[in-house]
Amino acid sequence: MAVRTRFAPSPTGLLHVGSVRTALFNFLFARRSVGGFILRMEDTDRKRSTPEFEEAIMEDLAWLGLCWDEGPDTGGDRGPYRQSERLSVYLEYAARLLKAGRAYRCYCTVERLEALRRSQLEQGLPPRYDGRCRNLRPDAVPEGASHVVRFMVEDGKVEFEDMVFGPMRFDARDIGDFIIVGSDRIATYNFAAVVDDALMGVTHVIRGEDHLPNTPRQILLFRALGFGVPGFMHLPLVLSEDRTPLGKRHAGLSIRALREEGYLPDAVLNAVAHLGGYPGWSGEEFLSLDEMVRRFSVKRLSRSPSVFDVNALKRMGRAAMERASAEAVTGLVSRYFRDADRARLERAVREVKGEASTLEELRSFLAPLLEEPEPTEKAREVLARPYVPGLLRALRDAVEGVEELDGENSRKIMKGLKRPGLKDREVFMPVRAAVTGSLQGVELNKVLAILGKEEVLRRLERFTGT
Ligand code: GLU
């Protein structure tokens, strides 16, 4: 049987690194065999779902390269892939359960349910519906009252083998008859997800650990509807550095924010793939998505929550830059430097890209190399020291004496500027200040080589006075 997995986000917020982990595992699991990967929008919460979030989620997934075979935009044989377009399908299956006596209409008011809940909690019991409407006689139905549809949960045990958490066992008595269709005739999450997973032919449900308590309910529904039960794999929680589960509060870890900061997609994927010390690849190894597919195996995935480490993301950012071709990266940063000489831009990118973790950072490294910046306050102080004009004139003479500047002769020239009584930094700092306007940045030899002879001479002119 061909594997089919699905990623089922609710379009109520932006995609973040925690949900990308779920998407990535679904993707890898499907691609490892020649399976299908489905994107399903769980947008039945009409108040909180928006078309903008849906669009953003799809854009971010595509940016990461996690492309789906069937989905709201691409369509497919088992669509539609938006739950809001499937409401009548859920009602049809609810009707089947009602007819088979596996579900019933419940007319209990919110007030009664609230009172019931309170009294159960007071008695130290787990709150659950007491089954009052299970056997309601037709003449006892309150006139004009609205109703929900509840699934009838029979006593017994629900057992399944989770691919990460191992054998799981739940007592159905702790569950209670739960709602499958609300009074607004909209199916609840548990019911809609089961009907969709079955009709869409999903063979493996891969999702966050927070959904583990839903699984016994869903298994009961699969069985009652006469569907096969898929395999389950719950991924341990991803925590932020403050040790709380990742969510909307961590806006900086949304894929949108990381994209805006200028991380490359592979950097984000690698940071996510390494969460929890994923054993398919070792600690710092950087892999392309194709390599991940080849090496993916579900074995030995750790059960403990993992913390998303921003420093690891930065390391992966640098690794992604290093791996990307200078040409490709030049293409990505060229919008920041429209007037720059393309050859110099590419030369600069080649030299410095491995030192930056994001495109924004790369831009800050490149800017003083491509546009002559005004010296900062601190740079000006250094340039005002009395020995500096003489030092810069010596530099000018040395640069004039070479055909073209490269890493090798730049190093020699810098060495030749050393004077007894001047510390190394007293030589390097004024040179850096004169040619880049700042006291920090890319290695000085590289700076000189990237700027080239002519540009270095041009930039020195204003400080050498002749
Ligand atoms: N819409 C659910 C969520 O975003 C998906 C749960 C599932 O995968 O079954 O958490």
Side-chain angles (χ1 to χ4, degrees):
M1 185 176 54
V3 162
R4 284 170 66 83
T5 63
R6 83 320 190 254
F7 178 53
S10 303
T12 55
L14 291 170
L15 202 61
H16 58 74
V17 289
S19 37
V20 166
R21 186 192 202 199
T22 303
L24 176 65
F25 271 69
N26 275 290
F27 176 89
L28 295 176
F29 197 84
R31 289 287 177 270
R32 186 186 64 136
S33 56
V34 215
F37 173 51
I38 304 166
L39 175 64
R40 181 170 79 221
M41 284 295 158
E42 302 211 325
D43 61 347
T44 53
D45 182 344
R46 301 309 291 157
K47 277 196 225 85
R48 292 170 55 231
S49 302
T50 72
E52 289 75 24
F53 281 135
E54 178 181 308
E55 186 69 34
I57 289 172
M58 293 205 281
E59 243 180 64
D60 290 346
L61 283 174
W63 176 77
L64 288 165
L66 301 177
C67 299
W68 50 98
D69 307 300
E70 297 162 41
D73 56 339
T74 41
D77 295 343
R78 318 254 190 145
Y81 295 91
R82 235 179 237 114
Q83 289 192 326
S84 59
E85 292 168 19
R86 303 174 60 82
L87 299 178
S88 60
V89 180
Y90 310 135
L91 291 179
E92 195 187 307
Y93 281 89
R96 286 192 198 184
L97 289 179
L98 282 166
K99 198 159 166 223
R102 302 299 312 272
Y104 60 92
R105 293 186 179 86
C106 167
Y107 297 88
C108 290
T109 60
V110 178
E111 293 74 29
R112 170 171 193 270
L113 295 174
E114 191 39 47
L116 176 67
R117 202 182 119 80
R118 240 179 297 127
S119 87
Q120 285 169 335
L121 286 176
E122 273 161 23
Q123 294 167 61
L125 298 169
R128 61 185 187 90
Y129 184 61
D130 60 359
R132 170 155 161 183
C133 291
R134 259 193 187 210
N135 302 305
L136 208 60
R137 288 194 328 274
D139 59 347
V141 171
E143 216 173 306
S146 67
H147 69 268
V148 299
V149 179
R150 282 187 191 273
F151 178 64
M152 206 181 278
V153 177
E154 275 147 22
D155 287 354
K157 300 264 179 278
V158 189
E159 292 177 58
F160 65 97
E161 177 82 21
D162 186 85
M163 284 190 276
V164 172
F165 287 88
M168 303 296 294
R169 193 160 197 231
F170 292 85
D171 192 337
R173 247 181 312 188
D174 296 334
I175 297 176
D177 297 348
F178 58 91
I179 300 175
I180 56 173
V181 178
S183 56
D184 52 5
R185 313 244 305 146
I186 294 184
T188 56
Y189 155 69
N190 276 317
F191 191 55
V194 164
V195 171
D196 288 349
D197 286 340
L199 298 184
M200 293 179 183
V202 170
T203 57
H204 296 81
V205 169
I206 303 173
R207 59 186 170 200
E209 181 188 345
D210 47 327
H211 285 289
L212 208 44
N214 289 321
T215 306
R217 290 175 175 77
Q218 297 185 4
I219 289 176
L220 291 173
L221 287 170
F222 277 113
R223 288 192 194 137
L225 289 164
F227 293 134
V229 179
F232 289 98
M233 177 173 181
H234 288 91
L235 302 173
L237 289 181
V238 182
L239 307 177
S240 76
E241 277 166 346
D242 63 13
R243 300 252 151 200
T244 58
L246 275 183
K248 296 205 180 97
R249 281 184 309 109
H250 305 99
L253 293 180
S254 73
I255 303 309
R256 215 18 84 103
L258 299 178
R259 265 175 88 172
E260 274 160 20
E261 265 186 76
Y263 280 101
L264 297 182
D266 276 2
V268 177
L269 283 178
N270 272 271
V272 167
H274 283 81
L275 282 171
Y278 182 68
W281 31 80
S282 62
E284 292 294 293
E285 208 175 351
F286 189 90
L287 295 114
S288 68
L289 194 51
D290 283 343
E291 287 165 316
M292 287 183 199
V293 170
R294 279 200 297 280
R295 306 258 294 271
F296 181 75
S297 112
V298 294
K299 281 184 224 113
R300 295 181 292 140
L301 190 70
S302 151
R303 293 178 197 182
S304 25
S306 42
V307 175
F308 189 79
D309 172 5
V310 176
N311 287 324
L313 172 66
K314 287 193 179 141
R315 276 200 301 281
M316 291 302 168
R318 282 190 289 274
M321 287 281 187
E322 207 151 284
R323 270 214 175 189
S325 72
E327 224 184 346
V329 178
T330 305
L332 292 171
V333 291
S334 58
R335 68 195 153 107
Y336 301 133
F337 303 107
R338 286 193 205 286
D339 301 327
D341 173 68
R342 181 81 184 197
R344 194 193 318 158
L345 176 61
E346 191 165 326
R347 199 156 24 130
V349 166
R350 192 180 305 282
E351 288 290 338
V352 306
K353 69 183 169 63
E355 294 178 36
S357 53
T358 65
L359 295 170
E360 274 301 320
E361 199 174 1
L362 184 57
R363 182 218 324 228
S364 72
F365 290 168
L366 292 173
L369 304 175
L370 297 161
E371 305 145 354
E372 188 170 353
E374 270 311 303
T376 61
E377 181 75 31
K378 289 217 167 89
R380 241 175 294 169
E381 277 166 26
V382 168
L383 287 164
R385 294 181 189 157
Y387 69 94
V388 169
L391 178 83
L392 296 179
R393 274 197 290 273
L395 171 63
R396 178 198 60 195
D397 295 346
V399 172
E400 275 173 348
V402 297
E403 187 111 353
E404 187 43 278
L405 280 170
D406 56 36
E408 191 65 25
N409 59 21
S410 298
R411 197 166 299 125
K412 276 202 197 116
I413 291 174
M414 290 308 301
K415 246 188 172 165
L417 292 183
K418 292 191 187 171
R419 301 272 178 277
L422 278 189
K423 292 190 194 111
D424 279 2
R425 50 176 290 117
E426 288 170 326
V427 175
F428 292 116
M429 281 303 171
V431 174
R432 183 185 283 289
V435 294
T436 70
S438 144
L439 300 182
Q440 288 116 31
V442 179
E443 209 185 299
L444 197 50
N445 308 318
K446 281 190 186 175
V447 172
L448 297 177
I450 292 164
L451 291 175
K453 177 175 171 177
E454 238 175 89
E455 180 67 12
V456 169
L457 291 176
R458 206 181 60 73
R459 291 192 182 190
L460 284 176
E461 253 170 46
R462 56 198 274 210
F463 306 106
T464 50
T466 44

